[in-house]
Amino acid sequence: MNNAELTLNWKRALDLLYEDPANRLKVDSWFRPLLPYRIDESKGIIYCSSQDSNSFAKNMVNRNQAILRGALFQVIGRDYQVQIIDEKDITPEEHSQVDPFFGEEEYLNPRYSFENFVTGPNNRLAMAACLAIADGYSPEYNPLFLYGDSGLGKTHLLHAIGQYVKKNSPERKVLYVSSEVFTNELIACIKEKKMEEFRSKYRNLDILLIDDIQFIAGKPQTEEEIFHTFEALHRASKQIVFSSDKPPRELGNMPERLITRFGWGMIADIQPPDYETRAAILQQKASQEGFDIDSDMKEVIDLIAQSIPSNIRELEGAFTRVVFQAAALNQKITKNLVKQVLTDVFNTKDQEITPANIKRSVANYFGIKVQEMESSNRSRSIAYPRQVAIYLIRKHTNLSLPRIGEEFGGRDHTTILHSCEKIAKDIKTSESLRTTIENIEKQIL
Ligand code: ADP
Ligand code: MG
């Protein structure tokens, strides 16, 4: 994996984590500021730098190894640990190699292949059309317009076409691009007067795969350029594939001439998978990861497939989280473990402002356990979150100081008062503490 791919995979892994609301705070506050700098393929370690050198970042990463590894595994298909390195240990070359703004143009995820795509009644037509296109020019499918909700396999199929063509007919020129990258590149080329190059790149192709076309709606220059690109390719009998989260007619704000053209070939939808297809996807994933599909595993797959109805990305994410928690806790994967790990799936979040909920949010934010906050542990990485939780409980509930003390392992009311005063005072001088408090409040209020 080169550095650009590392950066991209890292970004994808964080996006994946972000889809689970329970992870959002962690991702924004702790993981996004990290930059991946170096990968050691033989040891399976990704090294990241943290701009703020306090030990919380390190702590957070260590405590969240399981979910980070799970997300990276989902994206890369291999298990990597994450370690934080000091800024000073990064060589200047490594510094200059990393481009946080690297786009996703042309990178195809090897995991997204036709072989790994499980078909069911929900996606059979879409899959067949994609295979036909990958196999050779198919005028009846030109363009192919693929639509379906998020997480149902559109990007997977586009990447699969790209990879199949590169492997089986390398003489055909194929390009995958997200609408976002297309738009950004267009803007840059207009500014730098490089439209000639832009057009030659997008018009000298045998297959152009454009992902998430819904994003260009309301962007006149991009719409215009997509229109002319389409005309040039279509006239030359070159294949175009679009993906979208809605059918053409429902793309509000899209110019009529584009909507019409989207329907010139074939429009194929992907529906949410039924229960059997969900279970088949999980089975495939489990065997890919080397698990025996014994009766325990079957039960687990059943339970997850039943609980997550609509989004395959979430389905895979749930499974990966279970697998990595099992590894982290050194436990066998069982139904009970699934229920424990996927509490957010099984318990609908209750919005009440209770000491328990505040403690849970704070613990989650700092990546520690509620029991640690309640314990007598006085290390800073525990004591500080504890003070924050005490402050928030005092502020948002009307519990008395002694009652709050009980919530924290029977601490004395003077200790509680001291914590409240300390945080109240620190907020005045520390911007970062203010942000922390605001972020947690966003979650509990
Ligand atoms: P979309 O682009 O529609 O939002 P993706 O293509 O990113 O969805 O798919 C989300 C995840 O689900 C990916 O990891 C993908 O590999 C997986 N996935 C989707 N459909 C299938 C399928 N039919 N078989 C196996 N994996 C699938
Ligand atoms: Mg997609």
Side-chain angles (χ1 to χ4, degrees):
M1 199 186 314
N2 64 31
N3 272 52
E5 286 165 0
L6 173 61
T7 309
L8 173 61
N9 283 328
W10 177 261
K11 189 178 144 266
R12 286 216 174 111
L14 296 194
D15 288 345
L16 206 60
L17 285 177
Y18 196 79
E19 283 174 23
D20 182 345
N23 289 329
R24 295 210 170 139
L25 272 175
K26 278 185 208 168
V27 171
D28 280 339
S29 318
W30 303 109
F31 303 151
R32 293 237 192 256
L34 302 175
L35 278 181
Y37 269 102
R38 190 188 300 153
I39 183 161
D40 186 329
E41 303 271 4
S42 61
K43 290 195 194 131
I45 301 179
I46 291 174
Y47 295 95
C48 292
S49 86
S50 126
Q51 281 123 340
D52 70 332
S53 60
N54 66 30
S55 57
F56 274 124
K58 218 175 222 162
N59 243 324
M60 273 314 281
V61 165
N62 288 339
R63 286 170 182 280
N64 288 285
Q65 277 295 332
I67 66 161
L68 276 170
R69 278 169 60 190
L72 287 164
F73 188 92
Q74 256 186 285
V75 171
I76 304 172
R78 234 200 94 178
D79 186 14
Y80 287 97
Q81 268 187 42
V82 179
Q83 279 186 23
I84 302 280
I85 43 174
D86 275 340
E87 282 274 357
K88 65 175 168 34
D89 292 335
I90 298 166
T91 63
E93 297 88 76
E94 281 174 326
H95 248 299
S96 60
Q97 270 169 21
V98 173
D99 174 7
F101 301 108
F102 177 78
E104 37 187 307
E105 174 202 356
E106 291 192 58
Y107 173 70
L108 300 174
N109 186 333
R111 241 178 27 81
Y112 292 176
S113 63
F114 285 126
E115 291 80 16
N116 289 344
F117 194 80
V118 176
T119 47
N122 61 311
N123 59 23
R124 193 159 283 133
L125 183 68
M127 165 80 168
C130 289
L131 253 180
I133 285 169
D135 241 349
Y137 175 60
S138 317
E140 70 279 25
Y141 298 152
N142 201 20
L144 172 64
F145 191 95
L146 209 60
Y147 76 89
D149 284 343
S150 170
L152 296 183
K154 302 181 296 293
T155 299
H156 187 135
L157 281 175
L158 260 50
H159 280 213
I161 298 176
Q163 265 154 160
Y164 186 99
V165 171
K166 279 190 189 204
K167 183 157 156 238
N168 297 302
S169 19
E171 72 291 349
R172 291 169 83 198
K173 272 205 261 167
V174 59
L175 180 70
Y176 165 90
V177 69
S178 68
S179 298
E180 197 187 354
V181 168
F182 185 93
T183 305
N184 292 344
E185 219 178 311
L186 175 66
I187 295 168
C189 287
I190 293 173
K191 210 159 97 194
E192 291 163 29
K193 308 209 164 26
K194 285 192 183 154
M195 279 312 290
E196 199 85 13
E197 276 136 294
F198 184 88
R199 291 191 174 131
S200 108
K201 172 174 170 181
Y202 285 100
R203 296 181 192 186
N204 294 316
L205 292 170
D206 295 295
I207 309 182
L208 175 59
L209 310 162
I210 305 187
D211 210 352
D212 291 319
I213 193 72
Q214 74 272 10
F215 288 135
I216 71 159
K219 297 183 179 132
Q221 281 180 326
T222 313
E223 288 165 350
E224 177 86 13
E225 197 55 37
I226 290 278
F227 175 77
H228 291 295
T229 306
F230 178 92
E231 289 286 283
L233 289 171
H234 197 267
R235 208 177 313 121
S237 300
K238 305 299 187 185
Q239 183 76 52
I240 308 135
V241 182
F242 296 104
S243 89
S244 161
D245 66 350
K246 291 186 208 70
R249 283 278 149 218
E250 289 173 26
L251 290 167
N253 228 352
M254 190 72 86
E256 186 57 33
R257 58 180 187 171
L258 271 178
I259 292 183
T260 319
R261 279 162 180 77
F262 291 155
W264 274 4
M266 160 139 146
I267 300 177
D269 65 339
I270 306 187
Q271 292 293 326
D274 59 16
Y275 165 74
E276 282 81 12
T277 311
R278 297 199 296 275
I281 290 172
L282 287 179
Q283 282 219 7
Q284 175 196 261
K285 206 164 163 61
S287 358
Q288 260 175 17
E289 288 170 26
F291 290 100
D292 288 335
I293 313 291
D294 56 13
S295 61
D296 263 354
M297 183 54 94
K298 278 221 178 80
E299 254 189 24
V300 164
I301 286 177
D302 250 32
L303 181 61
I304 301 178
Q306 275 165 18
S307 329
I308 299 179
S310 56
N311 185 320
I312 299 173
R313 195 179 289 124
E314 279 173 23
L315 189 73
E316 288 189 328
F319 180 76
T320 313
R321 258 157 69 204
V322 171
V323 169
F324 277 85
Q325 274 301 331
L329 303 170
N330 207 0
Q331 277 185 17
K332 204 169 150 25
I333 300 180
T334 57
K335 257 174 116 164
N336 273 342
L337 180 73
V338 174
K339 288 195 175 144
Q340 219 175 302
V341 175
L342 304 180
T343 42
D344 52 314
V345 175
F346 292 102
N347 308 335
T348 42
K349 200 177 152 199
D350 82 67
Q351 292 293 328
E352 244 184 313
I353 305 174
T354 61
N357 283 345
I358 295 178
K359 283 194 283 190
R360 184 152 13 94
S361 296
V362 173
N364 190 24
Y365 184 82
F366 287 100
I368 64 173
K369 297 199 175 66
V370 172
Q371 295 94 297
E372 290 177 298
M373 281 198 306
E374 293 165 350
S375 75
S376 56
N377 187 334
R378 289 209 214 161
S379 70
R380 193 177 134 73
S381 63
I382 306 292
Y384 176 62
R386 182 186 297 128
Q387 288 176 337
V388 170
I390 290 173
Y391 168 84
L392 285 169
I393 291 177
R394 177 81 177 150
K395 182 166 164 196
H396 294 292
T397 71
N398 42 29
L399 255 55
S400 66
L401 292 173
R403 269 290 290 117
I404 299 176
E406 282 167 30
E407 288 287 335
F408 292 87
R411 284 184 156 69
D412 191 78
H413 72 273
T414 53
T415 315
I416 302 298
L417 184 62
H418 170 76
S419 299
C420 295
E421 286 173 352
K422 175 153 190 327
I423 296 292
K425 184 169 136 246
D426 289 354
I427 284 180
K428 297 204 179 98
T429 53
S430 163
E431 172 76 39
S432 79
L433 176 59
R434 259 201 310 278
T435 317
T436 297
I437 300 274
E438 276 167 21
N439 279 338
I440 299 172
E441 284 180 334
K442 261 188 235 151
Q443 215 186 36
I444 56 178
L445 298 183

